[in-house]
């Protein structure tokens, strides 16, 4: 596990981002995206992303999150449902319940809620995300 945070941070910077909510931006309403979303501003509403959601260190989401994978460096006030892996980095804070297949919580991260681990394709219908065979 040593050095994992550094590798993860570098990997975040090289991903293709479909939607970017920049620092200082406030988005009021529900956000739905088919591609990867990066949030460095504030979203007041639910976020549904078919691929990955990345919450930067300055980012805040006040609502529920549903995505394939999620990386959190900022603050979330709401429940998170993830089909794959959720990574809560050292600067991340989550106030809400988590449902995920895989969960990584770095040292100094904050998580206040319940966690439910899922194991198979059955969670697709629970999370409201359609599985795509590629």
């Amino acid at each position: 596990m040593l050095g994992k945070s550094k590798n993860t941070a570098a990997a975040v910077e090289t991903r293709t981002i479909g939607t970017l909510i920049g620092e200082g931006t406030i988005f009021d309403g529900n956000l739905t995206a088919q591609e990867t979303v990066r949030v460095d501003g504030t979203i007041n509403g639910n976020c549904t992303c078919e691929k990955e959601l990345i919450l930067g260190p300055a980012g805040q989401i006040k609502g529920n999150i549903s995505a394939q994978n999620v990386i959190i460096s900022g603050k979330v006030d709401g429940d998170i449902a993830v089909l794959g892996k959720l990574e809560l980095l050292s600067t991340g804070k989550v106030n809400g319940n988590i449902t995920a297949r895989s969960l990584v919580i770095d040292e100094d991260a904050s998580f206040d809620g319940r966690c439910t681990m899922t194991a198979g394709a059955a969670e697709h219908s629970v999370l409201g995300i359609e599985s795509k065979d590629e």
Side-chain angles (χ1 to χ4, degrees):
M1 184 83 179
L2 292 175
K4 181 148 179 68
S5 294
K6 293 177 186 173
N7 293 338
T8 302
V12 168
E13 298 303 321
T14 60
R15 289 186 172 92
T16 302
I17 308 295
T19 301
L20 173 66
I21 306 294
E23 194 168 339
T25 301
I26 298 173
F27 181 90
D28 290 320
N30 296 330
L31 176 68
T32 302
Q34 294 178 350
E35 297 295 324
T36 297
V37 175
R38 179 171 175 115
V39 178
D40 290 312
T42 299
I43 295 180
N44 296 313
N46 299 327
C47 298
T48 302
C49 185
E50 287 187 24
K51 292 196 177 175
E52 188 167 50
L53 186 131
I54 302 165
L55 183 63
Q60 292 185 28
I61 297 177
K62 297 172 185 173
N64 299 329
I65 297 171
S66 179
Q68 180 68 38
N69 296 302
V70 175
I71 299 172
I72 298 174
S73 298
K75 184 177 180 186
V76 176
D77 286 314
D79 296 340
I80 304 171
V82 181
L83 293 176
K85 180 163 82 170
L86 184 141
E87 293 182 67
L88 184 56
L89 303 182
S90 62
T91 57
K93 298 180 188 321
V94 173
N95 246 344
N97 300 321
I98 293 174
T99 302
R101 178 179 291 193
S102 175
L103 175 65
V104 177
I105 300 178
D106 284 353
E107 188 174 357
D108 293 329
S110 173
F111 169 51
D112 185 11
R114 297 180 64 183
C115 180
T116 302
M117 303 301 289
T118 58
E123 75 268 13
H124 289 3
S125 61
V126 172
L127 302 179
I129 297 177
E130 293 182 23
S131 176
K132 294 185 179 177
D133 297 326
E134 298 179 323

